[in-house]
Amino acid sequence: MRTITLIIIHCAATFPMQTYSPEQMRADHLRRGFCDIGYHYYIRRDGTCHPCRPLEQSGAHCRGHNRHSIGICYEGGLNVHGQPADTRTPEQREALLRLLAQLKQRFPRAVILGHHDLNPLKSCPCFDAASEYSDL
Ligand SMILES: [Zn+2]
């Protein structure tokens, strides 16, 4: 297993009424030249958590930080005007919290951050992940 120092949260940057399946995401990421979905987990609006890339493999989700991190993405992240917004449903919040708690158990020293914390030019994941999960 790789050394994991970071757990990085992302949003898919999709609109509230937009459905964005793991299959669509895979097709988009393959078009970008990735070998698979860039994230390790994808959490749908209904709280379903799809495992994507195996944890043993580096992801493709945060330039300069992929080697030692796990990438998690939730469906949403834009409001109806296309502006960055925390659009997580209660089901997504619950699934995300459950997943993060499990990962922290397996990788106790990993730090949970949002993409924005590593790249201030990005608003992803549109909420302050570092402070929301600081006590996990
Ligand atoms: Zn991101």
Side-chain angles (χ1 to χ4, degrees):
M1 185 58 203
R2 304 178 287 138
T3 301
I4 299 297
T5 59
L6 291 172
I7 299 171
I8 306 172
I9 320 268
H10 299 264
C11 66
T14 53
F15 287 83
M17 302 318 286
Q18 187 183 351
T19 298
Y20 191 54
S21 69
E23 293 72 29
Q24 283 170 289
M25 179 181 277
R26 178 168 289 113
D28 285 342
H29 286 195
L30 290 178
R31 238 189 321 271
R32 280 157 69 177
F34 301 167
C35 59
D36 195 353
I37 290 183
Y39 308 111
H40 295 92
Y41 297 96
Y42 180 44
I43 299 177
R44 301 298 303 275
R45 223 183 298 279
D46 67 359
T48 309
C49 180
H50 293 272
C52 304
R53 237 178 241 221
L55 287 182
E56 290 74 21
Q57 290 173 21
S58 293
H61 55 91
C62 187
R63 194 179 292 271
H65 297 281
N66 287 312
R67 205 163 154 214
H68 298 297
S69 70
I70 293 169
I72 302 170
C73 179
Y74 73 92
E75 184 178 22
L78 298 178
N79 65 19
V80 289
H81 308 291
Q83 294 152 339
D86 182 0
T87 61
R88 288 174 298 162
T89 63
E91 291 82 6
Q92 280 177 312
R93 286 172 189 263
E94 200 184 308
L96 190 52
L97 187 60
R98 200 177 324 123
L99 174 62
L100 289 171
Q102 283 169 8
L103 291 173
K104 277 294 273 189
Q105 239 171 7
R106 182 162 171 201
F107 308 103
R109 290 164 67 192
V111 175
I112 300 170
L113 291 175
H115 192 181
H116 169 83
D117 298 311
L118 295 161
N119 183 348
L121 297 176
K122 310 257 184 192
S123 39
C124 170
C126 311
F127 70 96
D128 188 350
S131 62
E132 182 164 333
Y133 301 116
S134 59
D135 54 357
L136 273 186

